[in-house]
Structure formats: structure tokens, C-alpha cells
Amino acid sequence: MSNPHRVLHRFLPLVLLATCASAQTTPYRYFRAGNAADRAAQVQAGFALMGGGKDLDEAFRWLCQRAGGGDFLVLRATGNDEYNSYIQGLCPLNSVATVVIPNADAAHAPFVAEKIREASGIFIAGGDQANYINFWMGSPVQAALNDSIHRSAPIGGTSAGLAVLGEYAYSAQGDKPDDPNLDGKTAIADPFGSRITLVHGFLDIPILKGVVTDTHFATRKRMGRLLVFLARLNPSGETTVRGIGVEQRAAVLLEPDGQSTVVGHGSAYFIEPTKKPAILEQGKPLSVAGMEVQKVAPGHSFNIKEWHGDATTYTLSIENGAIQSTQAGGGIY
């Protein structure tokens, strides 16, 4: 998260008033900074896939521009309003608000769905995506988010917020409180282990149909687990689901037509399975070949619809519990 105290002085009284107003007895918490009344805005669709870590100013400015100077909304299940001052310091907006939706009661509160439907732009913060799936899926929050996508409001997410943007999502519902990071080695050892929980259809972003995403990619050694997700989702060898892994402090800025640009301080990995897994059984290490990787560096482009871009290409396979790479030196990232 970027410095939560970066705020223009002229916004400070409004931030404090919004925080005080959130003390009402409700299952959610709502913080608003800026103008109290919404303003109509001309919005432009777009999707910011942020890999996590320290927030990336460029990605937020891109979302704000598409929000047309209107009313920007941050969604989270835990935390507070620190994004309000950060985003206001970057963007000329009518208002920035945060709504914390920590349980199913909050997700069914009419006020929350109303604010989502009124927002000119939406950002889903990091945290634990299990909360988003457990509390928001099947609720008015899910319906309001999908309505907002269909009315062309721009939407982005970082870390857990990115994890739920694809048609398929790793839900983290089996994670352990003392070990929240499912790494690649653990996933490969048993592709049907209790921690590998995949859900379908939380968000309906047309250009991300047939996509599963992953975050904090190289830093937390998650290539192996994304390969496991892809093997699970393509068991017959017919490619119906592809993967996108995004490094920390990087983002994929995606147009509705499929054209995208990678920005920030890391790469994005676009992965397509091309062969049927040789071994895909509970309790046995995954064995699979033909995972085609296109690694796209910052400043370069990739077309998701055509699944081709300005990339370094190589192939990965998994044998005897280890990832093999055709890259010089055997690097997997």
C-alpha cells in the first residue's frame, strides 16, 4: 500500500467528516472524501489487473481518467479509508469513497449495492479473496459489480482484488491462518489438495472469459500453482482456460477489445496449456508438458483476444515435482 498520509490539505476536513459519519450502526463501514453529492460522469470501460505490493500510481491514474472525474469507490472486506487520501492525491475526482464489507449482512445491505451502482470507477483492494467469495458471491454486491461492468464503469483490483477478476478464481478458502501463501511446490505435490480451491463466475468481464489470474507472481513463487490451476481447469488437454500472472508493482491495463499494456516495475505472464496432463490425480505430483508462456515486460503490449503480444516466449513442463523450462539457464520467470 502506498503512503496512506499523502493527502492534499484542502481535502482533510472532508475526510474527517466522512470518517465520523461511518460510526453509524451498520454492518458495513462507509467513508467518503470530496463532494457530498454525486456528479454525472462520462465513463470508459477498462480493467486494471494489479499484481500487488506497493500501489502503482500509473494504474490508478488510468482508472481515474476512465472514471471521468466522477465518484470513485474502493471496496474491501477489512481495513479502513486509507485509499481515499491516496487516490485524491493522484486524481481530479468529484469524490472518493471506501466501503468496507466484512460479512454477508453487509453484502446484503441495500446502501452498499446502491453505492456500487452509482460509482464512476471501482477498485477492489487487496486482502483475503476468501472474504470476497464467502461474503460477496451470491449477494447484491456481486450483482451490483456485474451491473457496473456492463454499464462500462472501469474496474481494477490488486492482489486479492485481482485474483477475483477472471472468470475463474483461486478463492483461497482452504488457506491456513498461519500460512496464507499457497506456493507452487505445495500445489504441485497434490493438485487436488484441500488448499486448491477454484470458483467460477464471480465477475462477468467479457474479455476475461476463460481466464484465471494470479498475483505477487515471482516474489511469492506462484508459477507452479498457476500451472496447477490450469491443469485442473483443462484436464482433457483442450485449452478452454488460460492464465495471467502479474508481478508485484506491475499492472496489466486492459481494454475491452483485448488490447493491453503492461506497466510498472515487473512483468506479466500469459500462459496457455497445450497438452493433456500426464498425471493429474489426487495425492500424486502433477506431471504436465506444453505450458506455453509469453512474458511481457513493462512498456510492452499483449492482445488477450488474439493471445499474442510483444513477449519473450518459452515452454514449461512439470516432471517429478519440479518445473522444467526451455529458457536459457532454465529460468521459469
Side-chain angles (χ1 to χ4, degrees):
M1 172 68 205
S2 294
N3 185 350
H5 303 296
R6 283 197 297 175
V7 57
L8 300 180
H9 293 299
R10 61 192 174 92
F11 289 120
L12 186 55
L14 290 171
V15 173
L16 293 175
L17 286 171
T19 303
C20 292
S22 72
Q24 58 190 308
T25 303
T26 62
Y28 57 85
R29 289 184 294 145
Y30 180 72
F31 309 87
R32 183 174 178 123
N35 291 318
D38 286 352
R39 187 178 77 185
Q42 186 70 37
V43 299
Q44 181 182 358
F47 311 99
L49 284 60
M50 307 181 203
K54 186 178 179 182
D55 290 309
L56 186 61
D57 295 355
E58 185 175 356
F60 279 93
R61 289 193 180 103
W62 186 85
L63 281 173
C64 289
Q65 183 179 37
R66 286 165 181 263
D71 301 285
F72 199 91
L73 183 65
V74 177
L75 301 179
R76 55 197 317 174
T78 59
N80 52 36
D81 65 338
E82 60 186 341
Y83 269 109
N84 288 7
S85 59
Y86 165 61
I87 295 170
Q88 280 197 316
L90 291 173
C91 304
L93 292 161
N94 183 60
S95 72
V96 182
T98 295
V99 60
V100 183
I101 314 166
N103 52 47
D105 287 344
H108 283 81
F111 176 88
V112 173
E114 176 186 346
K115 289 304 173 184
I116 294 171
R117 288 192 169 93
E118 292 174 348
S120 304
I122 298 169
F123 170 72
I124 304 175
D128 182 353
Q129 63 259 39
N131 291 327
Y132 305 157
I133 300 302
N134 289 335
F135 304 144
W136 302 0
M137 195 167 185
S139 79
V141 166
Q142 180 186 17
L145 279 168
N146 284 319
D147 287 348
S148 296
I149 292 164
H150 298 156
R151 64 178 170 83
S152 297
I155 186 168
T158 190
S159 190
L162 166 57
V164 297
L165 293 187
E167 180 182 7
Y168 296 85
Y170 166 61
S171 69
Q173 290 165 295
D175 274 0
K176 303 175 182 178
D178 59 343
D179 184 17
N181 179 36
L182 172 63
D183 61 34
K185 184 177 180 180
T186 301
I188 289 170
D190 182 1
F192 290 91
S194 61
R195 296 186 63 184
I196 302 174
T197 52
L198 298 166
V199 298
H200 172 257
F202 175 60
L203 294 186
D204 183 21
I205 299 175
I207 194 58
L208 291 177
K209 291 287 188 184
V211 169
V212 59
T213 61
D214 211 347
T215 65
H216 299 279
F217 205 57
T219 302
R220 299 188 184 177
K221 300 178 179 179
R222 289 180 169 175
M223 178 67 83
R225 80 179 198 179
L226 183 52
L227 299 185
V228 169
F229 300 161
L230 290 171
R232 285 276 306 270
L233 294 168
N234 299 279
S236 70
E238 295 183 13
T239 302
T240 58
V241 181
R242 298 179 174 95
I244 301 174
V246 186
E247 291 185 357
Q248 290 190 171
R249 299 227 65 211
V252 178
L253 305 182
L254 175 61
E255 302 285 351
D257 66 1
Q259 188 62 37
S260 71
T261 302
V262 177
V263 299
H265 309 280
S267 298
Y269 301 79
F270 300 85
I271 306 172
E272 180 175 29
T274 64
K275 295 184 178 180
K276 182 178 179 178
I279 301 175
L280 181 61
E281 298 179 30
Q282 186 169 2
K284 294 184 179 181
L286 174 66
S287 179
V288 64
M291 293 288 188
E292 303 291 343
V293 180
Q294 297 183 68
K295 177 182 178 179
V296 180
H300 296 266
S301 63
F302 189 87
N303 190 298
I304 288 179
K305 185 173 289 186
E306 298 176 359
W307 207 254
H308 179 74
D310 183 11
T312 299
T313 61
Y314 55 99
T315 303
L316 299 176
S317 61
I318 301 176
E319 301 174 15
N320 300 318
I323 304 175
Q324 309 295 325
S325 173
T326 61
Q327 280 203 101
I332 65 175
Y333 295 101

